[in-house]
Amino acid sequence: MTAAETPPTTPARPPAVWRFFLYSGIGVFMFFVPITIGENSTIPLDHLVTFLREVLGEADRYVALTLIAAGTAYPFVSGRWRQSPLRTVFAFLNILGLAAGSMIVFNYGPGWLFDPDLGPFLYNALVIPVGLLVPVGAIFLALLVGYGLMEFLGVLLRPVMRPLWQTPGRSAIDAVASFVGSYSVGLLITNRVYKTGRYNAKEAVIIATGFSTVSATFMIVVANTLDLMGIWLWYFFLTLVVTFAVTAIVVRIPPLRTIGEDYYPGVEPKPEQRITNDRVNAAWGEAGQALRTAPPLWKNVLTNFRDGLLMSMQILPSIMSVGLIGLVLALHTPVFEWIGYLFYPFAWVVQLPDPGLASTAAAVGVAEMFLPATLVAGHESEVLRLVIGVLCVSAVIFFSAMVPSVLATEIPVKLWHMLVIWLQRVVLSLVIATPLAYLVVALT
């Protein structure tokens, strides 16, 4: 065919720029802009979930139980329970979770289950909020990550994220989402981005285990429990510094350092490209490319809602089973006191007050992140209370909810990986936070 006979090429579809500003703006507002309604100051997504719980009333318990029942059946219906020994174990643990959830909802069963710190705490403080937050958050997640914002920020923040934490610039939005929203929201973002080829396996695991901590809203609960609200800003920023400093170290040692960099099976990899020209123009160019290939809004929202609902179904039974086992061990056995001996030398070396109590508190956090605060609440040492308050957040990994949430995703991290990373994070948190806490107390 001659040049004259060459058919004209179809020009690339111009991006609808207004979608970048409108959809991304709504997503940013819902996830990142705290507003005050009544006496409660939190992000709009959290307000929306609170409103939904008020509308549902007592029905929220049955909605959560329905999700638990569906999540318990799902591994057996889909065949996922046969995929690995770990999935088999969790599939049968889900049955325990369904039984425990049913007892809580219908008010029958052994008396110990109804201890306010056990069944009711798990169901009311974790299961119901997470069960509603994840699918509702997934709707707005479609706006936040689907229309160019992640690509735009990824180019701008690459010089910071890659050298410090070995993750793409776009991962900054995951870190912020966890701190202002929820670890479950952060994990939902991470899983979605990994499955679209924009994170490789190592990056996804780093983000899940290094950034997906509890929200600033829950940090307020910890600060109130430990009588730290008088130095709230110091506590908040100290927690931020320690959490991200620990992550910067942990990514450079095994097991995180040795995790492969494969992409999600069957997906075209979309790694961030090297920028050699004007960074802002390059950021806008990548955002425009994302807009060109973005699906229609209804399709994007439907896909994300489906993923969020599925993730919620898989998380909730594990919270009720694994979380319950962890809390029983923490409250009624000396197991975590024994584990705490691992941390005693480090607490002693950095001269943390009452190193025995501090070590036990550090150990019990793997069951539920709030438990360390309850152990040292009321202690005379503000340094101890401040360090443990930071540790509640910076350790990141805990079995009552975070671990089941990770295992419900496609993120390729093993259980032993998370246990080793938890140990590393606790030790580093104690070593880094203690001298800084002494400095903060001296300054205040």
Side-chain angles (χ1 to χ4, degrees):
M1 181 180 289
T2 66
E5 296 171 319
T6 302
T9 58
T10 303
R13 179 169 60 93
V17 176
W18 62 269
R19 295 189 300 167
F20 174 87
F21 292 101
L22 179 61
Y23 296 163
S24 300
I26 294 172
V28 168
F29 174 73
M30 293 300 296
F31 282 96
F32 300 133
V33 181
I35 59 174
T36 301
I37 298 179
E39 298 181 354
N40 188 22
S41 179
T42 185
I43 57 172
L45 177 59
D46 195 29
H47 283 301
L48 182 58
V49 171
T50 300
F51 172 74
L52 185 57
R53 289 192 68 176
E54 291 174 354
V55 170
L56 289 172
E58 287 295 312
D60 62 358
R61 300 166 62 79
Y62 301 100
V63 170
L65 187 60
T66 301
L67 290 172
I68 291 174
T72 301
Y74 179 74
F76 298 101
V77 173
S78 64
R80 285 168 61 97
W81 72 284
R82 298 191 188 96
Q83 291 179 357
S84 70
L86 185 62
R87 289 194 184 276
T88 302
V89 170
F90 269 86
F92 284 97
L93 281 173
N94 287 350
I95 298 173
L96 172 63
L98 176 60
S102 300
M103 292 178 188
I104 295 295
V105 170
F106 297 109
N107 198 31
Y108 72 93
W112 61 264
L113 181 63
F114 293 89
D115 183 321
D117 293 327
L118 286 175
F121 167 75
L122 281 172
Y123 204 85
N124 297 320
L126 292 175
V127 168
I128 295 175
V130 170
L132 296 176
L133 179 65
V134 172
V136 173
I139 295 172
F140 297 98
L141 178 63
L143 306 179
L144 187 67
V145 304
Y147 296 94
L149 180 63
M150 287 196 74
E151 287 73 14
F152 184 80
L153 292 178
V155 174
L156 296 183
L157 294 174
R158 198 173 307 165
V160 176
M161 301 302 295
R162 181 63 68 183
L164 288 180
W165 297 290
Q166 301 181 4
T167 59
R170 57 175 68 118
S171 65
I173 204 165
D174 290 46
V176 176
S178 294
F179 266 97
V180 302
S182 163
Y183 60 86
S184 56
V185 171
L187 287 170
L188 188 66
I189 295 174
T190 305
N191 191 51
R192 185 70 182 159
V193 177
Y194 170 59
K195 290 173 66 176
T196 57
R198 289 180 285 176
Y199 292 153
N200 62 38
K202 183 176 183 177
E203 292 165 350
V205 174
I206 290 172
I207 295 162
T209 60
F211 297 152
S212 300
T213 189
V214 295
S215 68
T217 304
F218 207 84
M219 287 168 63
I220 294 174
V221 178
V222 173
N224 273 315
T225 302
L226 294 173
D227 194 23
L228 296 175
M229 286 306 294
I231 54 170
W232 161 251
L233 287 179
W234 285 101
Y235 168 62
F236 178 80
F237 287 110
L238 181 60
T239 301
L240 239 64
V241 169
V242 172
T243 299
F244 291 126
V246 168
T247 300
I249 297 170
V250 171
V251 299
R252 289 168 169 80
I253 56 180
L256 277 182
R257 191 186 69 186
T258 59
I259 291 176
E261 299 183 357
D262 300 329
Y263 284 83
Y264 188 73
V267 172
E268 179 186 355
K270 301 182 183 69
E272 291 181 334
Q273 302 301 312
R274 184 180 178 186
I275 303 301
T276 57
N277 54 355
D278 180 73
R279 189 168 294 276
V280 174
N281 283 338
W284 185 244
E286 290 206 15
Q289 180 60 32
L291 282 171
R292 288 186 185 93
T293 58
L297 179 61
W298 68 267
K299 186 174 182 180
N300 200 3
V301 167
L302 189 62
T303 300
N304 276 268
F305 178 72
R306 182 195 63 202
D307 288 350
L309 194 62
L310 187 59
M311 184 176 179
S312 184
M313 286 165 44
Q314 295 176 78
I315 293 171
L316 299 192
S318 296
I319 292 177
M320 278 309 303
S321 57
V322 178
L324 183 63
I325 292 169
L327 289 178
V328 168
L329 290 175
L331 296 174
H332 300 291
T333 75
V335 167
F336 291 104
E337 187 176 341
W338 299 337
I339 297 173
Y341 291 133
L342 294 172
F343 306 121
Y344 185 90
F346 301 98
W348 179 80
V349 165
V350 296
Q351 294 297 291
L352 189 59
D354 203 342
L357 177 62
S359 301
T360 302
V364 80
V366 75
E368 159 55 37
M369 61 78 53
F370 188 63
L371 288 179
T374 65
L375 286 187
V376 303
H379 197 279
E380 62 182 3
S381 171
E382 189 174 30
V383 169
L384 175 62
R385 288 184 278 114
L386 182 55
V387 170
I388 296 303
V390 170
L391 183 66
C392 286
V393 179
S394 63
V396 174
I397 295 167
F398 57 97
F399 270 80
S400 68
M402 192 274 180
V403 170
S405 297
V406 174
L407 294 177
T409 69
E410 301 294 330
I411 298 168
V413 58
K414 295 179 172 60
L415 184 61
W416 74 264
H417 286 159
M418 286 191 278
L419 287 172
V420 173
I421 292 167
W422 170 75
L423 284 167
Q424 294 169 342
R425 295 192 68 89
V426 170
V427 169
L428 289 169
S429 295
L430 288 172
V431 171
I432 295 172
T434 300
L436 293 175
Y438 273 111
L439 179 61
V440 168
V441 171
L443 291 174
T444 56

